[in-house]
Amino acid sequence: MKTTSKNLRADERREVTVQTVVELAGEQNPSEITTAAIAKRMGVTQGALFRHFPNKEAILSSVMEWVSKRLLARIDKAINKNSSPLAALEAMFMAHVDFVCKHPGVPRMLFGELQGAKDSAPKRMVQLMIEGYSFKLKALLEEGVANGELNPELDTQSAALLFIGTVQGLVMQSLLAGDVKKMRKDAPGVFAIYQRGIRG
């Protein structure tokens, strides 16, 4: 996303900065992304960058906010398209996989923030996003149990953890293979096994 325009509005400049960081994270270790590299990719000076963000942590917080809004909006859209909890779970799973395929740097950033020893605004935002995601997921699982679509003895807390862990497993396998698009090929078969485990 090489941006050469020097006349962007402040909100546009912040949006381009966030998208630039997401793009760079798909190409390299997110912890090694410097403000100099962000400014260079955008075609601006570091000074111009810091007119919109007080420091690097503020940039990362904006990135995490961007990720959270877009991922959760995608999840909501997938859920709302389906009347059955099980169909909604599958749509949620595939929407998450599709989001990662489109933004391969995102999981690296999320894992990096969560692994950090110190508390930070970006880390708290990631934790809040996961809480929101888990809440939506657990609600679907409980609805499926209540309407008889899922196993009446299903431990919904464990099923939610397994769902998230399954997506993370696909992410890790695709990173190891060096091919994030591999997730799209593997996801249907993996979800089919998950589904057999939770159905009534």
Side-chain angles (χ1 to χ4, degrees), residues 4-182:
T4 54
S5 171
K6 309 277 196 241
N7 301 312
L8 294 175
R9 293 193 323 260
D11 57 336
E12 292 174 329
R13 175 75 69 207
R14 284 191 288 270
E15 178 78 8
V16 170
T17 304
V18 165
Q19 291 179 12
T20 299
V21 174
V22 171
E23 186 180 284
L24 285 168
E27 301 167 9
Q28 65 185 87
N29 184 335
S31 66
E32 295 171 3
I33 297 172
T34 62
T35 52
I38 297 166
K40 183 178 178 184
R41 176 66 65 94
M42 292 173 64
V44 299
T45 65
Q46 283 191 75
L49 203 59
F50 288 124
R51 278 200 290 275
H52 302 286
F53 298 95
N55 51 43
K56 188 178 177 183
E57 184 171 297
I59 295 173
L60 291 176
S61 290
S62 290
V63 171
M64 294 311 159
E65 183 181 4
W66 183 94
V67 169
S68 180
K69 279 185 181 173
R70 276 155 186 77
L71 177 58
L72 294 178
R74 227 174 238 251
I75 296 304
D76 284 338
K77 189 175 177 185
I79 291 170
N80 293 335
K81 274 186 177 176
N82 295 276
S83 55
S84 149
L86 191 55
L89 281 166
E90 183 172 8
M92 182 177 180
F93 190 88
M94 297 308 171
H96 192 154
V97 167
D98 185 62
F99 183 82
V100 173
C101 287
K102 287 186 171 140
H103 307 291
V106 165
R108 292 178 183 155
M109 287 188 291
L110 298 182
F111 291 145
E113 288 304 323
L114 290 172
Q115 287 171 2
K118 68 171 191 158
D119 188 34
S120 67
K123 183 175 184 176
R124 288 192 298 274
M125 293 183 84
V126 173
Q127 290 167 331
L128 281 172
M129 181 187 72
I130 292 170
E131 282 176 24
Y133 185 102
S134 299
F135 180 82
K136 292 173 192 294
L137 179 53
K138 200 158 176 246
L140 276 179
L141 290 162
E142 287 170 355
E143 186 185 343
V145 170
N147 75 5
E149 194 175 18
L150 302 182
N151 189 320
E153 296 180 2
L154 182 68
D155 177 345
T156 55
Q157 180 66 32
S158 296
L161 287 172
L162 183 59
F163 184 102
I164 294 168
T166 302
V167 175
Q168 289 172 338
L170 283 169
V171 170
M172 294 306 293
Q173 289 298 317
S174 69
L175 290 175
L176 287 169
D179 177 16
V180 77
K181 304 290 189 279
K182 184 177 185 297

Side-chain angles (χ1 to χ4, degrees), residues 151 154 162 191-200:
N151 189 320
L154 182 68
L162 183 59
F191 185 81
I193 293 171
Y194 174 80
Q195 177 178 255
R196 283 198 292 274
I198 63 172
R199 286 191 80 153

